[in-house]
Amino acid sequence: MLAPQQPPDAGTAWNLTDLYASPRDPALSLDLEKSLKTARDFQSEYQEIEIASLEPADFFRALKRYEAILEIGLKPFLYGSLLFSEDTQDPVHKTLLQKGKEAWNQLENTLLFFRLALTRLPDSKLKALGDYSPLKEYRHALEFHHRFQPFTLKEKEEEIVNRKNLTGRSAFMNLFDEFTGSFVFHLKIGEQEKELTGSEMLALLHSPDRELREEAFRTFLQYHGENSLVLTALFNALVLDYRVEDEFRGYKGPMQRTHLENEIAPETVDLMMAVTENYYPLAQEYFQVKACLLGIPKLKNSDIYAPLPGGHREIPLPEAKDLLLGSFGRFHPLFGRIAAEFFEKKWVDAKIRKGKYGGAFCSGLTPSLHPYLLLNYTGNLRDVLTLAHEMGHGIHFYLARKQSLLNFDPPLTLAETASVFGEMIMVQALLRDEADPEVRQALLGAEIEDIIATVFRQNVLTRFELALYDRRREHLLTGDEIGDLWWRENANLFGKAVEMIPEYRWGWSYISHFIHSRFYCYSYIFGELVVLTLYEKYLEEGEAFIPGFIRLLESGGSASPDELLSHLGLDINRPDFWERGFKVIRKLIDELKSLRP
Ligand SMILES: [Zn+2]
């Protein structure tokens, strides 16, 4: 099926012709050829030159060309991924995505020499370049690369690490995906015996049927336990592999590399996590309130995502769109205008179709292209919040288009700023218009549960990961030992408020973040607490807050997180900074408690 055919429900399907007319558009093959050709020209022109010896004006021209090549090369790849998510079963989409990926990989390899040259710029050169005014906008990008200089190996060694990873770390990662992806679970639902995939099993944690939730979770975890031989071996191998590489590169401890990538001081992360732990009782308080609302004496951990009564209120898409435009527009007319443009110009694909990617995302593309949103809108309250969340991302990327490509993507820790903020705006708007106390409870509950999953749970995950790396230094770990570490960290969060089902000892073994992007989880805590703090500041300052917030979004990734936030008068290195977000959680829980009959 070709993209330009307008489906009858054109209001809720996106129009990708802004990128290419169709997968067979000659412009697409032309871009693929052009990007690779310009990359090769660039390579032959610069590879033999000492990049560090270029005059600032020549260096600036080289950097601009590098950026332009990346921008052309990304377009076919991103188009391929959007088409694929629209219909993952279409063979034309699959082929195009693969072609785009391979071309992008080739492009990156051709330009690798330049990226390494940026990392290796001597301090004195970096300073001289920084003083040249056209390069000022790249100051942050250059400093970012420079920070990895002490940990970069010789070119040949880097190549060996890269190529050995194909049969080492990457092979283990693929094995994890393929192995766990092949799991089939058998579960009795009602009178029927069903065969379900892992994600279908986990989706049952949202079922209103308590026994079904528990049975699904038990079966899911038990099966992982039965396959512990492979899963435990994978965890052991990957943790050791990272440690060996860290030692070669000279990193101090397993988190240093992630901290550098996130541009956050280790002390700041330690502080953030310690403060989060101090507030574990706040999460326990919510779990107790939830048990009350569900009419059960105590939650099991299979009940945490159970729907609250009132959660079934239906909001059709046109109504959700009006709510979104109204609430974003009231926050600031610019937000309302941009959100309206997304719908008018068909940058949103909300309708559920067979073969479509199952989740929701915003693809920011590049500064020369506008973003697109994909959702699977069914009309429940969570979907309305997801719409606001993804539209927040959309507005963030839209505003950051003022930046050039190297400064476009926000830092990982601030990537969720506008999205979570958008959700908060939407929750407040829904609460304002909702008279039914049960629906109000469900709304507040959904918001609090999101926050708990992003702040408290990610803290548990990070603590577990640290313990895992620490213990693996001593010896090869058994599945039971890993289970003990996992159980201990979860027990700290749940306290007496939640009973863990015994099979939860295997709860670590299905979390792909541990396999694919170690220590990624703490950036969720960081991002969420920053947004809650920004939201609290907005409540305090009202309209005066908004111009600075818009500037923050417009800045994209042109500066480090602490610098971007300092323009709003926030200092992430102050001990009391991390306390502020918890005030918002406190207020939400109090509001929920006040609704109880
Ligand atoms: Zn998001």
Side-chain angles (χ1 to χ4, degrees):
M1 204 193 321
L2 301 183
Q5 288 178 345
Q6 283 297 327
D9 54 327
T12 52
W14 59 24
N15 172 13
L16 296 181
T17 58
D18 293 351
L19 299 171
Y20 296 106
S22 79
R24 291 176 195 86
D25 187 342
L28 198 157
S29 341
L30 222 61
D31 276 351
L32 284 171
E33 280 165 34
K34 191 177 155 196
S35 59
L36 201 58
K37 184 181 176 313
T38 47
R40 289 200 179 116
D41 290 348
F42 184 81
Q43 187 188 29
S44 51
E45 205 171 316
Y46 287 100
Q47 192 159 29
E48 301 309 320
I49 301 176
E50 186 64 51
I51 300 291
S53 69
L54 289 175
E55 287 302 314
D58 295 327
F59 181 87
F60 177 68
R61 265 194 296 280
L63 198 60
K64 278 279 175 205
R65 269 179 67 185
Y66 170 71
E67 206 177 26
I69 300 166
L70 292 178
E71 185 140 5
I72 307 171
L74 273 170
K75 192 175 163 187
F77 173 36
L78 294 169
Y79 176 66
S81 21
L82 289 178
L83 269 187
F84 178 72
S85 59
E86 179 185 294
D87 184 356
T88 57
Q89 302 305 308
D90 187 323
V92 176
H93 297 178
K94 278 190 207 174
T95 316
L96 186 66
L97 177 63
Q98 191 54 29
K99 201 167 152 188
K101 257 189 201 168
E102 283 169 17
W104 176 248
N105 199 285
Q106 211 178 346
L107 188 78
E108 275 196 315
N109 284 335
T110 313
L111 297 174
L112 179 70
F113 80 95
F114 191 72
R115 206 161 51 83
L116 284 175
L118 294 183
T119 307
R120 295 206 174 92
L121 287 175
D123 292 359
S124 56
K125 184 70 187 180
L126 194 71
K127 166 121 195 17
L129 292 172
D131 291 340
Y132 178 66
S133 67
L135 275 168
K136 283 228 155 52
E137 61 166 310
Y138 293 104
R139 180 189 51 89
H140 171 250
L142 293 177
E143 281 172 1
F144 180 82
H145 281 289
H146 189 70
R147 204 163 304 148
F148 292 90
Q149 195 180 72
F151 312 103
T152 306
L153 307 172
K154 294 196 185 83
E155 199 153 344
K156 192 73 202 166
E157 293 166 351
E158 286 288 345
E159 196 190 326
I160 295 171
V161 171
N162 267 340
R163 296 183 66 173
K164 288 293 284 178
N165 270 347
L166 289 175
T167 49
R169 194 187 297 164
S170 309
F172 281 128
M173 289 175 177
N174 288 340
L175 177 61
F176 176 83
D177 290 348
E178 286 183 41
F179 184 57
T180 54
S182 74
F183 287 4
V184 178
F185 303 90
H186 297 271
L187 191 70
K188 212 168 161 209
I189 302 182
E191 287 310 302
Q192 277 185 322
E193 174 90 19
K194 296 231 173 181
E195 261 191 15
L196 301 170
T197 65
S199 46
E200 286 171 326
M201 291 292 279
L202 290 176
L204 289 172
L205 289 172
H206 296 274
S207 160
D209 179 341
R210 189 174 194 209
E211 276 172 29
L212 179 62
R213 286 196 302 267
E214 188 176 334
E215 192 50 33
F217 205 28
R218 276 184 194 278
T219 309
F220 176 82
L221 292 163
Q222 183 62 45
Y223 194 69
H224 281 76
E226 285 160 21
N227 287 285
S228 69
L229 189 142
V230 177
L231 294 168
T232 306
L234 283 171
F235 272 70
N236 270 298
L238 279 168
V239 172
L240 180 61
D241 181 82
Y242 274 120
R243 199 184 86 214
V244 170
E245 189 180 326
D246 282 346
E247 281 172 9
F248 273 130
R249 291 184 182 278
Y251 284 112
K252 290 193 286 301
M255 281 172 111
Q256 192 185 5
R257 184 171 183 163
T258 314
H259 292 333
L260 280 177
E261 280 163 357
N262 288 336
E263 304 175 84
I264 302 172
E267 304 77 39
T268 304
V269 178
D270 291 345
L271 182 67
M272 172 186 85
M273 290 181 64
V275 173
T276 302
E277 261 140 18
N278 287 343
Y279 282 96
Y280 277 1
L282 201 56
Q284 291 159 12
E285 190 180 328
Y286 173 74
F287 293 136
Q288 278 157 347
V289 173
K290 177 152 185 171
C292 265
L293 292 172
L294 292 176
I296 50 182
K298 185 176 179 178
L299 292 189
K300 292 189 177 180
N301 62 333
S302 47
D303 296 321
I304 286 177
Y305 301 107
L308 289 172
H312 295 297
R313 163 125 141 71
E314 296 270 318
I315 302 183
L317 186 62
E319 196 187 318
K321 179 184 150 188
D322 288 346
L323 270 166
L324 179 90
L325 298 185
S327 56
F328 277 39
R330 273 194 303 278
F331 172 71
H332 193 275
L334 181 65
F335 272 56
R337 264 204 314 278
I338 299 174
E341 198 178 340
F342 270 81
F343 287 105
E344 280 155 23
K345 297 191 173 163
K346 300 191 172 62
W347 300 347
V348 182
D349 196 306
K351 195 179 163 54
I352 297 175
R353 296 186 299 274
K354 198 167 164 278
K356 183 172 161 178
Y357 169 80
F361 64 77
C362 166
S363 180
L365 304 184
T366 70
S368 59
L369 305 164
H370 60 76
Y372 281 98
L373 310 186
L374 180 138
L375 312 154
N376 283 278
Y377 193 86
T378 63
N380 62 36
L381 285 176
R382 280 196 179 269
D383 288 342
V384 181
L385 298 187
T386 305
L387 173 66
H389 180 101
E390 300 307 335
M391 189 59 84
H393 278 304
I395 293 173
H396 198 165
F397 280 118
Y398 186 103
L399 292 171
R401 288 177 69 192
K402 292 194 169 162
Q403 304 293 333
S404 66
L405 186 67
L406 293 180
N407 290 321
F408 178 57
D409 286 315
L412 179 62
T413 46
L414 295 182
E416 297 295 335
T417 306
S419 56
V420 177
F421 205 93
E423 260 185 75
M424 294 294 285
I425 294 175
M426 183 59 114
V427 170
Q428 295 307 321
L430 285 164
L431 285 172
R432 210 185 61 162
D433 300 338
E434 186 58 64
D436 183 341
E438 275 210 332
V439 179
R440 293 174 66 90
Q441 272 176 2
L443 259 168
L444 282 165
E447 188 56 25
I448 297 166
E449 282 167 28
D450 261 8
I451 298 173
I452 288 179
T454 327
V455 176
F456 296 107
R457 179 169 159 81
Q458 303 304 324
N459 209 66
V460 169
L461 264 54
T462 309
R463 281 277 179 242
F464 161 76
E465 218 174 355
L466 269 169
L468 181 69
Y469 275 79
D470 192 41
R471 192 63 68 84
R472 181 68 184 87
R473 295 186 73 82
E474 296 161 16
H475 54 83
L476 194 74
L477 299 170
T478 64
D480 271 337
E481 280 173 286
I482 304 180
D484 284 343
L485 300 175
W486 174 252
W487 193 268
R488 192 185 70 203
E489 294 307 331
N490 278 279
N492 283 342
L493 172 63
F494 291 141
K496 291 190 168 53
V498 178
E499 178 192 334
M500 290 187 273
I501 59 173
E503 292 81 354
Y504 197 54
R505 296 184 59 76
W506 299 104
W508 51 273
S509 65
Y510 68 91
I511 297 174
S512 69
H513 280 100
F514 297 148
I515 298 291
H516 285 285
S517 33
R518 63 173 179 160
F519 295 111
Y520 187 92
C521 295
Y522 83 72
S523 58
Y524 286 123
I525 316 170
F526 187 102
E528 181 84 30
L529 287 176
V530 164
V531 184
L532 293 178
T533 302
L534 288 172
Y535 191 75
E536 205 228 1
K537 203 168 153 61
Y538 164 57
L539 294 181
E540 251 171 51
E541 297 173 7
E543 269 181 36
F545 164 84
I546 297 174
F549 184 61
I550 291 177
R551 270 199 302 282
L552 170 78
L553 303 182
E554 284 173 342
S555 304
S558 58
S560 64
D562 57 347
E563 190 182 334
L564 290 172
L565 290 168
S566 71
H567 297 314
L568 282 161
L570 296 172
D571 180 356
I572 59 169
N573 301 309
R574 274 176 60 129
D576 61 348
F577 175 83
W578 299 106
E579 303 275 342
R580 293 181 69 171
F582 291 99
K583 280 196 209 162
V584 180
I585 308 177
R586 172 81 265 163
K587 266 189 225 158
L588 289 168
I589 294 177
D590 286 344
E591 208 176 335
L592 177 66
K593 284 164 95 174
S594 74
L595 292 173
R596 271 159 69 192

